[in-house]
């Protein structure tokens, strides 16, 4: 049996970051992953260009049952620290909307950088993990059984993510390891995922698939302002992916498809200034034409502006500025970008990611109950939690 100081399960963003930190401390590190190559999720992210962090990262951008848990790691390894690393390797990048940073060339640059940082670690891919054990409770040593043999180390880092995107081999393996050692799990569910509608609502929206509009989505005190996309199953687009992480079955969303504009005031003004125009024409100046036509049909409005009483204009305006919609569900973990929930942070040290009751066992990245908003925040959590662990594992 081959021995190491640290075994990292998972060659993704958090796992490679942790391995890099541990190697720099002179630790003998083994990284194991069942995937064909390291960083597979990194490679597909951001359309192949990797939205590797966000300039506006704060703890407020993360969901967790314990919202304070992420603060220590994020403070000790910030977005600017990762940007410095990217610049050190000469990787060209650019900012898109809302502080999102992407590689100019390819996500492959980020993976190559991480592997270079972790030089000295042994990285084994295509390695199926059969079991994890701690043969002697009195000794800080873990055994990992694989199809290619068994390995042992005094520190074991679980960086295998969550079950989102199972077609890439994602699973709940991290939760199984946690449960094996008596560590709690916050129920995992889909995050950053398209939402679906019942048959009646889909019938009302027939013909709108592919239409996009800038919108705000509100649920309680939570609000996001980005693009909304109509699909043949319901809603998608950045604003819906964002709010989906807060949505629970039965919740009603308020959708504003003219954020910053008062639809009723604009329609009343049009009634005076262009009184002979058809309502559909006027709505088409505020919204995409297909959407404008559908709203006119749903609200039963037709005819010239001059002929429409204010109460009818108000009905159309409410559908534009304050559409109340109750999704029937989501597309689930198969289509989710991330997993909400995971290893309960009450069982972990926020400074080291080590399990409080099992010395030498660590959980990092998406496996932990810390989930970021859309836009590079989940990668920043991977870098920060991986760095925190790599300093001590």
């Amino acid at each position: 049996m081959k021995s190491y100081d640290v075994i990292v399960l998972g060659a993704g963003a958090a796992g490679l970051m942790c391995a890099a930190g541990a190697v720099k401390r002179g630790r003998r590190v083994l990284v194991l992953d069942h995937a064909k190559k390291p960083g597979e999720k990194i490679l597909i992210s951001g359309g192949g260009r990797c939205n590797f962090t966000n300039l506006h990262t704060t703890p407020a951008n993360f969901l967790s049952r314990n919202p304070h848990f992420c603060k220590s790691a994020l403070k000790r390894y910030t977005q600017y620290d990762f940007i410095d690393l990217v610049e050190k390797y000469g990787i060209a990048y650019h900012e898109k909307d809302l502080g999102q940073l992407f590689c100019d060339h390819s996500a492959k640059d980020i993976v190559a950088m991480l592997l270079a940082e972790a030089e000295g670690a042994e990285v084994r891919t295509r390695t199926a993990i059969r079991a994890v054990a701690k043969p002697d409770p009195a000794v800080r040593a873990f055994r990992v059984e694989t199809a290619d043999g068994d390995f042992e180390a005094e520190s074991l880092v679980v960086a295998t993510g969550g079950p989102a995107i199972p077609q890439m081999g994602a699973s709940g393996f991290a939760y199984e390891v946690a449960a094996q050692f008596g560590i709690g799990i916050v129920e995992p569910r889909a995050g950053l995922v398209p939402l679906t509608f019942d048959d009646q609502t889909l019938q009302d929206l027939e013909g709108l698939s592919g239409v996009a509009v800038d919108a705000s989505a509100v649920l309680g005190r939570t609000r996001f302002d980005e693009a909304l996309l109509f699909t043949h199953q319901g809603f998608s687009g950045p604003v819906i992916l964002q709010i989906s992480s807060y949505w629970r079955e039965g919740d009603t969303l308020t959708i504003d498809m003219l954020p910053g504009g008062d639809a009723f005031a604009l329609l009343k003004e049009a009634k005076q200034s262009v009184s002979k125009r058809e309502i559909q024409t006027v709505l088409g100046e505020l919204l995409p034409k297909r959407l404008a036509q559908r709203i006119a049909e749903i609200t039963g409005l037709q005819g010239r502006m001059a002929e429409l009483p204010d109460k009818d204009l108000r009905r159309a305006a409410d559908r534009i500025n304050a559409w109340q919609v109750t999704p029937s569900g989501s597309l689930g973990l198969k289509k989710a970008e991330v997993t909400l929930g995971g290893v309960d942070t009450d069982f972990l040290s926020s400074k080291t990611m080590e399990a409080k009751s099992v010395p030498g066992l660590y959980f990092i990245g998406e496996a932990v109950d810390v989930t970021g908003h859309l836009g590079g925040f989940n990668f920043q959590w991977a870098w920060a939690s991986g760095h925190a662990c790599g300093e001590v594992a």
Side-chain angles (χ1 to χ4, degrees):
M1 183 184 304
K2 197 169 182 180
S3 297
Y4 297 83
D5 296 319
V6 184
I7 296 177
V8 180
L9 304 182
L16 291 177
M17 193 71 178
C18 174
V23 164
K24 287 177 173 57
R25 293 172 39 241
R27 303 284 275 170
R28 292 173 298 121
V29 180
L30 172 65
V31 182
L32 300 174
D33 200 306
H34 68 275
K36 294 180 181 179
K37 60 183 73 172
E40 284 200 337
K41 276 194 175 182
I42 298 174
L43 294 173
I44 67 167
S45 66
R49 293 196 175 182
C50 187
N51 179 192
F52 57 81
T53 194
N54 194 296
L55 291 172
H56 307 311
T57 301
T58 70
N61 297 114
F62 296 86
L63 291 81
S64 174
R65 196 159 72 175
N66 177 2
H68 302 290
F69 180 85
C70 66
K71 292 180 178 179
S72 176
L74 291 172
K75 183 177 182 180
R76 288 182 291 126
Y77 194 86
T78 71
Q79 58 269 42
Y80 303 107
D81 292 315
F82 194 78
I83 292 168
D84 286 345
L85 183 61
V86 168
E87 292 179 346
K88 173 185 171 183
Y89 279 80
I91 298 173
Y93 65 91
H94 60 278
E95 179 184 354
K96 282 193 175 181
D97 297 336
L98 306 174
Q100 302 171 57
L101 299 187
F102 289 77
C103 297
D104 283 357
H105 175 56
S106 170
K108 292 179 181 178
D109 295 337
I110 298 296
V111 175
M113 176 191 76
L114 293 170
L115 290 173
E117 283 290 291
E119 184 178 2
E122 182 180 344
V123 180
R124 294 192 179 205
T125 54
R126 302 175 186 263
T127 303
I129 299 166
R130 291 176 173 171
V132 171
K134 196 173 189 293
D136 187 347
V139 178
R140 179 169 165 158
F142 297 86
R143 178 183 298 166
V144 178
E145 300 174 8
T146 80
D148 297 329
D150 297 348
F151 308 94
E152 66 176 6
E154 64 178 24
S155 293
L156 178 66
V157 180
V158 183
T160 53
I165 321 182
Q167 57 270 36
M168 289 194 65
S171 72
F173 177 79
Y175 312 151
E176 296 172 13
V177 175
Q180 178 182 338
F181 290 98
I183 295 168
I185 302 295
V186 175
E187 181 183 3
R189 58 190 180 91
L192 302 181
V193 64
L195 299 176
T196 59
F197 293 143
D198 58 36
D199 291 342
Q200 180 58 57
T201 305
L202 288 176
Q203 186 176 336
D204 289 343
L205 301 179
E206 186 177 0
L208 292 182
S209 181
V211 172
V213 61
D214 287 336
S216 71
V218 179
L219 179 59
R221 296 182 179 180
T222 302
R223 172 179 174 142
F224 291 100
D225 296 274
E226 290 187 71
L228 181 150
L229 175 67
F230 290 86
T231 73
H232 66 283
Q233 292 175 297
F235 279 162
S236 189
V239 73
I240 295 302
L241 298 184
Q242 296 279 35
I243 205 73
S244 73
S245 292
Y246 294 82
W247 180 83
R248 294 278 192 168
E249 186 174 354
D251 287 344
T252 296
L253 303 177
T254 300
I255 305 296
D256 181 354
M257 294 181 288
L258 195 66
D262 185 334
F264 182 60
L266 291 171
L267 291 174
K268 283 194 67 175
E269 181 182 338
K271 184 177 178 179
Q272 298 298 320
S273 60
V274 288
S275 59
K276 294 183 179 181
R277 285 191 185 178
E278 297 285 322
I279 178 67
Q280 289 188 15
T281 302
V282 173
L283 289 175
E285 294 173 351
L286 302 178
L287 301 167
K289 289 184 178 179
R290 271 198 288 162
L291 178 57
Q293 181 178 351
R294 202 70 184 130
I295 287 177
E297 293 171 353
I298 292 171
T299 54
L301 299 183
Q302 58 182 341
R304 296 180 178 181
M305 294 297 295
E307 301 168 350
L308 298 173
D310 285 356
K311 66 177 183 178
D312 287 350
L313 299 183
R314 171 62 72 184
R315 193 162 72 250
D318 286 346
R319 177 59 70 122
I320 296 171
N321 281 140
W323 180 17
Q324 303 288 303
V325 59
T326 305
S328 61
S330 80
L331 292 185
L333 288 166
K334 287 186 178 180
K335 298 296 183 180
E337 295 200 15
V338 294
T339 308
L340 292 158
V343 177
D344 193 336
T345 58
D346 286 348
F347 291 77
L348 306 178
S349 163
S350 62
K351 293 183 178 180
T352 65
M353 307 293 132
E354 185 176 28
K356 295 175 181 177
S357 60
V358 188
L361 179 62
Y362 303 81
F363 293 87
I364 58 176
E366 190 183 343
V368 179
D369 175 33
V370 175
T371 306
H373 290 165
L374 185 70
F377 299 103
N378 285 294
F379 272 128
Q380 187 55 42
W381 170 245
W383 314 137
S385 60
H387 177 266
C389 182
E391 285 191 317
V392 295

